[in-house]
């Protein structure tokens, strides 16, 4: 969540203004770009400028993520929640350094075939207070000085833009948009962005797969 009241923009919408930071963090945590993007939202103040959006990201490794951004929110919130198999982590950038990062070792137990929550006390994870923008700039300068790869390099920027572009298309057209990996781009067949191709398929040269088709695992399609 990245929420606040204003500052309202007249050039870019809330997706492009607020979401890049969170998309970048999610791509790093997931270790990949998403297979599919679905974005919804509303333009309340300006007809063509969305001020509230929710973007859903689906990854190959079954990770699901969503980014909720708004500049029509009554209070400021910058919060990242990660739900994993053995716990849940919360980073709340609006709190003091001693409170920013917490780990919740909650569990889900199955009782008589039904999932039941088992809550536990959270643990505060200590962080060293630093000025984020200063650290970011210093890391950039050090990368230039030492000729080392920065944590956020050009490829990271391109991947964030790919997700933003797919999100914008989804937002305007009201459809789910699939992202093409580098390996998919080298294929000698065509797949429409709304189609779904499961892993383990054989697709022949010059074949065209059109709108909303679902090619299931094990399917073999010949040439043309």
């Amino acid at each position: 969540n990245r929420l606040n009241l204003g500052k309202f923009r007249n050039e870019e919408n809330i997706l492009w203004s607020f979401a890049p930071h969170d998309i970048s963090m999610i791509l790093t945590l997931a270790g990949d770009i998403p297979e599919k993007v679905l974005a919804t939202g509303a333009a309340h103040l300006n007809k063509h400028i969305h001020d509230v959006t929710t973007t859903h990201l689906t990854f190959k490794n079954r990770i699901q993520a969503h980014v909720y951004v708004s500049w029509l929110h009554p209070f400021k919130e910058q919060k990242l929640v990660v739900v994993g198999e053995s716990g849940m982590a919360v980073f709340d950038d609006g709190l003091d350094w001693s409170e920013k990062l917490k780990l919740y070792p909650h569990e889900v137990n199955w009782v008589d075939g039904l999932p039941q929550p088992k809550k536990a006390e959270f643990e505060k994870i200590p962080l060293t207070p630093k000025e984020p923008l200063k650290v970011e700039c210093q890391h950039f300068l050090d990368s230039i000085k030492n000729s080392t790869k920065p944590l956020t390099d050009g490829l990271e920027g391109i991947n964030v833009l790919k997700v933003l572009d797919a999100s914008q298309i989804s937002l305007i057209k009201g459809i789910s948009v699939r992202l093409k990996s580098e390996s998919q781009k080298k294929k000698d067949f065509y797949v429409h962005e709304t189609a779904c191709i499961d892993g383990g398929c054989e697709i022949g040269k010059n074949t065209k797969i059109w709108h909303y088709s679902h090619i299931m695992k094990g399917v073999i399609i010949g040439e043309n």
Side-chain angles (χ1 to χ4, degrees):
N1 291 352
R2 190 174 294 264
L3 315 167
N4 203 0
L5 184 62
K7 178 182 179 181
F8 306 121
R9 309 283 185 175
N10 293 316
E11 297 82 20
E12 79 274 14
N13 60 27
I14 187 67
L15 175 71
W16 288 83
S17 183
F18 275 25
H21 314 288
D22 305 289
I23 290 172
S24 180
M25 288 190 289
I26 289 171
L27 295 187
T28 298
L29 289 171
D32 198 0
I33 64 172
E35 277 191 314
K36 187 168 60 175
V37 175
L38 175 64
T40 61
H44 295 290
L45 300 180
N46 291 318
K47 185 177 180 180
H48 301 294
I49 305 293
H50 284 79
D51 33 48
V52 178
T53 64
T54 302
T55 305
H56 299 268
L57 310 175
T58 303
F59 294 84
K60 286 181 181 178
N61 50 13
R62 296 178 61 196
I63 289 177
Q64 299 277 336
H66 72 266
V67 180
Y68 172 39
V69 291
S70 170
W71 55 38
L72 280 180
H73 208 70
F75 57 86
K76 185 174 182 178
E77 178 179 312
Q78 293 178 195
K79 186 180 293 184
L80 173 70
V81 179
V82 180
V83 179
E85 293 179 353
S86 58
M88 305 169 184
V90 178
F91 180 79
D92 190 339
D93 204 24
L95 299 178
D96 292 333
W97 280 95
S98 61
E99 301 279 341
K100 280 185 189 292
L101 183 58
K102 298 184 180 75
L103 181 64
Y104 292 78
H106 299 330
E107 297 179 1
V108 178
N109 296 323
W110 290 84
V111 180
D112 297 328
L114 297 174
Q116 300 290 336
K118 180 183 178 183
K119 295 184 179 181
E121 288 297 318
F122 65 79
E123 173 190 358
K124 296 179 183 178
I125 307 299
L127 298 173
T128 302
K130 294 180 180 179
E131 175 52 49
L133 291 178
K134 181 180 179 181
V135 173
E136 180 182 0
C137 291
Q138 187 61 56
H139 176 69
F140 178 68
L141 293 173
D142 291 342
S143 298
I144 295 173
K145 180 180 179 181
N146 302 319
S147 297
T148 54
K149 181 181 177 180
L151 291 173
T152 305
D153 59 4
L155 181 59
E156 166 79 3
I158 290 173
N159 287 336
V160 170
L161 286 172
K162 285 180 180 179
V163 176
L164 284 168
D165 185 55
S167 302
Q168 181 70 25
I169 293 171
S170 176
L171 191 64
I172 299 304
K173 294 187 177 181
I175 61 173
S176 178
V177 177
R178 297 188 67 83
L179 288 173
K180 296 180 181 179
S181 66
E182 292 301 317
S183 60
Q184 286 176 310
K185 288 179 180 178
K186 296 175 183 177
K187 298 292 186 182
D188 49 9
F189 54 84
Y190 174 80
V191 180
H192 190 266
E193 63 185 16
T194 60
C196 177
I197 311 296
D198 291 349
C201 301
E202 292 184 25
I203 302 173
K205 184 178 180 181
N206 295 326
T207 295
K208 292 180 172 62
I209 300 172
W210 291 103
H211 304 68
Y212 303 106
S213 301
H214 181 191
I215 310 302
M216 301 178 71
K217 181 178 180 180
V219 166
I220 299 174
I221 301 177
E223 294 187 7
N224 301 306

